[in-house]
Amino acid sequence: MSTSAIIIIMVIILFFSVSAIAVIQKREQEKAVKRQRIAQHRYRMSQAETILSNLSTLPIGPEARKIITQYGLANLFAIQKIAPDDQANNKNIESFKQRLENTMAAVDKQKLVIPADMMKLKQQINGLSNLAKFILKLNKSQAISSELVPVAINKIMSLISESKICAYVQQGKTSLENQEYIPAQTSFTMAQSMLTKIKNKNSRLTQIEEELQELIKSTPAEALNKDLNFNQQAAPVPAEEEDSNSEEIQSRRDQLFGPKKKW
């Protein structure tokens, strides 16, 4: 075989080798792009799952739950287009479809629980605020029922206001315990200001408004000893027990605050 023939054969082999490598690289790049797209949609679906899980104890309403579920389902459908044979994804689709049939949770029929711990209460407010922002970002998405957004946002904002009002009251009570009277009254006034802006108050807010009026008008000692329970009605104190403890309570008040005085 002549040298020129060998060279031609080597060139042909080299050409096909390079072509084969190029094809393999292109396929690998396409697979990498698909994996990346699937990972993005799985992250978004997982994000929806996490949001619902973190807020499972809050009465955010069926509208918000439906919007988040629709968003998760849209990402599962996107994965299905990329990887139709992904059995785990197909099972998730069926699970999300069943959830959409009834997005009402038992907690939605209950009133909002207000944590006694201030850090937990702040986390609750932040969680609700982030949910509202998230839903507003989805407002223009075709994957969700946009008519549900205003209803969901109104309910969430109502929960945020309720939580903030209770947070102000708790801050006021803490300031009283530290004998910081001006910050205490400032907190109570902020709570009252927020309450005034709410037209349709639920039973808890109505009760808080009545109690706030008493707190603002009372002396620091009286305000300090007023028990506020946001989550249940306080049991009445028996008359005989109240009488037996009245002198002790008054003595404690005088020791802390001195003679009776207004703010």
Side-chain angles (χ1 to χ4, degrees), residues 131-133 135-136 148-158:
L131 174 62
K133 293 176 183 177
I135 289 178
L136 286 174
L148 295 177
V149 172
V151 180
I153 292 298
N154 285 338
K155 286 188 177 181
I156 296 168
M157 296 307 295
S158 176

Side-chain angles (χ1 to χ4, degrees), residues 80-98:
Q80 189 180 54
K81 289 182 179 179
I82 301 170
D85 296 330
D86 188 332
Q87 295 302 318
N89 184 71
N90 293 336
K91 288 182 180 179
N92 279 333
I93 288 176
E94 294 304 317
S95 175
F96 270 67
K97 283 182 177 179
Q98 290 178 5

Side-chain angles (χ1 to χ4, degrees), residues 241-256:
E241 182 178 344
E242 185 177 5
D243 293 339
S244 64
N245 293 334
S246 58
E247 293 182 2
E248 180 183 352
I249 293 172
Q250 185 61 47
S251 175
R252 191 186 312 128
R253 287 177 179 174
D254 293 340
Q255 290 175 6
L256 288 174

Side-chain angles (χ1 to χ4, degrees), residues 52 55-66 102-112 155 159:
L52 289 179
L55 300 174
S56 61
T57 60
L58 302 181
I60 59 176
E63 297 83 7
R65 298 182 194 281
K66 187 170 185 177
N102 183 15
T103 53
M104 173 69 76
V107 70
D108 292 329
K109 299 178 181 179
Q110 303 171 6
K111 69 178 182 179
L112 180 67
K155 286 188 177 181
L159 296 178

Side-chain angles (χ1 to χ4, degrees), residues 34-67:
K34 285 184 177 181
R35 286 195 296 268
Q36 184 178 11
R37 289 171 58 194
I38 289 173
Q40 288 175 343
H41 289 297
R42 279 182 178 162
Y43 169 78
R44 293 167 184 167
M45 183 275 295
S46 177
Q47 186 181 25
E49 287 276 73
T50 302
I51 290 173
L52 289 179
S53 176
N54 290 342
L55 300 174
S56 61
T57 60
L58 302 181
I60 59 176
E63 297 83 7
R65 298 182 194 281
K66 187 170 185 177
I67 289 171

Side-chain angles (χ1 to χ4, degrees), residues 139-166:
N139 192 22
K140 296 181 180 179
S141 173
Q142 296 180 352
I144 68 168
S145 302
S146 58
E147 70 275 6
L148 295 177
V149 172
V151 180
I153 292 298
N154 285 338
K155 286 188 177 181
I156 296 168
M157 296 307 295
S158 176
L159 296 178
I160 292 173
S161 296
E162 191 171 348
S163 298
K164 285 185 176 181
I165 289 167
C166 293

